Amino acid sequence: DTISFARGAPSPDLIPVDAVRVATAKALEDDWQTALSYGVGIGHPGLCAWIADRHGISAEQVMTTNGSLEAGAMLFRHLISPGDRVIVERPSYDRTLLLLEQIGVEFVPIDLQDDGIDIDAVEKALELGPVKLAHIIPNFHNPAGCTLSLEKRQRLVTLAAEHGFTIFEDDPYRELPFGEDPPPTMLSMDEADMVIHASSFSKTVSPGVRVGYLAGPREQIAKLARIANENYISPNMLSGSLVLELCRSGVLDDNIAKVKVALQERRDALVDALGRHIPEARFVLPGGGYFLWADLAESRDTVAIAARAKEAGAPFIPGTDFMLSGGQHSLRFSFASVPPENMDEGIARIASCLA
């Protein structure tokens, strides 16, 4: 059987199917008029209010979307024009790079360090010309696994205010730490209305519910909600209703607690297996989330290795997919999709492809 490290999705045993079934029935019993009707651009108002309370902001600063990728795509189309300079992390989420490439931006790639983006390099990039937006994944980075330090968050927020660029704080993994909570969001530090925060219930409920959200300045959220209404009327109201039921009932937090334990077991099993089978791998130990990014010897070609690993039944994504250039000796492991008992066999298969 295939043991896949490729897809950033949980294995079926981590999806709370029984809880979702109960929440859906409850939503259709208590909230059916909202759940089964056309909504407005912000989505389910009750869910917006719950998310706002979670962040300590007003409900007018929140809108829900059909997943956080749609949120990002809509924001980019609203804020960015062809030729605008956009800071992206190196490496970064491949789908975000694709969306920005389709718009025709001028990429400003900045290397990641163990504690997140290289802020000194950000400052140097700002000296070379104006930047319109910085895309930042602050917690348990996809694909790099690192977490942005508190000091760097503060410096980024200050730089955004001074130079007038928007920070897109792309944060779907925040709720999944394995130890202490990550530093506060940049949204919570922002006093200049330069941060728009995005997250999702794909990692805490299931990918299939397709419920994400944006939180930010009231004026920006109002404009984006109008765009949403003009394009698709509203996001999926039934999904919003069932997610709200999970949130209000406490089931969401219970599930997050269970998933964090399972994900940490998987991360630890992956690290142990890498030590046994691929000791040359160098990586930042992810403090939560789904992913581990490994650098192999510079002579390695992970594109070629990935092709062999797929044939061996242990696919992974090579580093080149997450970079505008480079990444040939790096790769991303998704440990969320692999139960601990399969981890050693999966890594052994990949190791056999290194010879």
Side-chain angles (χ1 to χ4, degrees):
D1 292 343
T2 296
I3 302 172
S4 178
F5 298 91
R7 193 76 189 271
S11 56
D13 58 299
L14 294 187
I15 295 175
V17 58
D18 292 333
V20 170
R21 185 181 296 115
V22 170
T24 302
K26 190 80 162 57
L28 289 172
E29 180 179 346
D30 297 345
D31 193 37
W32 66 269
Q33 287 183 305
T34 300
L36 299 180
S37 298
Y38 283 122
V40 294
I42 65 165
H44 198 298
L47 184 56
C48 289
W50 187 91
I51 293 166
D53 185 66
R54 191 86 153 184
H55 282 278
I57 58 179
S58 71
E60 292 76 20
Q61 293 178 258
V62 177
M63 63 179 289
T64 60
T65 57
N66 295 309
S68 61
L69 185 63
E70 179 181 80
M74 188 164 52
L75 177 68
F76 296 157
R77 290 194 298 269
H78 170 58
L79 286 182
I80 300 171
S81 300
D84 284 343
R85 298 178 77 230
V86 174
I87 289 174
V88 294
E89 296 162 311
R90 185 176 184 272
S92 188
Y93 182 40
D94 54 342
R95 292 180 185 268
T96 299
L97 295 177
L98 177 61
L99 288 171
L100 293 169
E101 183 178 41
Q102 290 170 344
I103 292 171
V105 305
E106 179 185 340
F107 284 106
V108 183
I110 305 290
D111 285 342
L112 288 171
Q113 300 171 322
D114 290 357
D115 61 347
I117 195 167
D118 182 344
I119 294 292
D120 292 338
V122 170
E123 291 185 335
K124 290 177 182 176
L126 291 168
E127 291 172 1
L128 297 176
V131 164
K132 193 64 173 287
L133 181 140
H135 174 250
I136 305 292
I137 304 171
N139 297 308
F140 322 127
H141 193 281
N142 177 14
C146 60
T147 292
L148 189 65
S149 68
L150 175 60
E151 179 185 0
K152 288 187 173 184
R153 292 173 199 237
Q154 292 168 334
R155 287 180 67 187
L156 266 177
V157 171
T158 298
L159 288 171
E162 290 176 349
H163 293 269
F165 65 87
T166 297
I167 296 172
F168 179 43
E169 185 176 27
D170 191 359
D171 201 14
Y173 305 100
R174 180 177 182 80
E175 299 271 13
L176 300 174
F178 301 154
E180 62 183 38
D181 289 339
T185 65
M186 287 181 281
L187 176 67
S188 69
M189 303 174 186
D190 180 30
E191 297 180 355
D193 287 349
M194 300 308 295
V195 177
I196 297 181
H197 178 99
S199 193
S200 169
F201 292 91
S202 293
K203 307 300 187 276
T204 53
V205 178
S206 78
V209 297
R210 306 311 303 141
V211 178
Y213 66 88
L214 290 170
R218 286 180 180 84
E219 182 179 339
Q220 291 279 27
I221 295 300
K223 289 179 181 177
L224 289 164
R226 284 196 294 273
I227 293 170
N229 186 250
E230 291 166 1
N231 279 274
Y232 54 81
I233 303 177
S234 72
N236 188 311
M237 297 298 287
L238 177 56
S239 286
S241 183
L242 77 88
V243 168
L244 176 60
E245 175 58 32
L246 291 169
C247 295
R248 284 177 171 170
S249 66
V251 171
L252 176 73
D253 286 332
D254 290 343
N255 189 61
I256 289 171
K258 293 174 185 175
V259 168
K260 287 194 297 185
V261 171
L263 290 173
Q264 184 170 2
E265 290 174 349
R266 293 169 190 218
R267 180 206 64 182
D268 292 346
L270 172 60
V271 170
D272 289 345
L274 288 172
R276 281 191 295 273
H277 299 293
I278 313 179
E280 73 184 68
R282 296 292 177 264
F283 52 86
V284 173
L285 182 70
Y290 275 31
F291 304 107
L292 184 147
W293 175 269
D295 295 319
L296 304 183
E298 291 191 9
S299 60
R300 300 292 191 188
D301 178 357
T302 56
V303 175
I305 295 167
R308 296 195 293 270
K310 184 177 180 180
E311 291 293 321
F316 64 84
I317 306 297
T320 52
D321 280 26
F322 305 98
M323 298 226 194
L324 299 169
S325 62
Q328 285 84 357
H329 66 281
S330 302
L331 67 158
R332 187 195 75 173
F333 294 101
S334 171
F335 51 82
S337 56
V338 182
E341 61 270 20
N342 295 338
M343 200 70 71
D344 191 80
E345 171 63 21
I347 297 302
R349 293 180 188 179
I350 294 172
S352 71
C353 300
L354 300 181

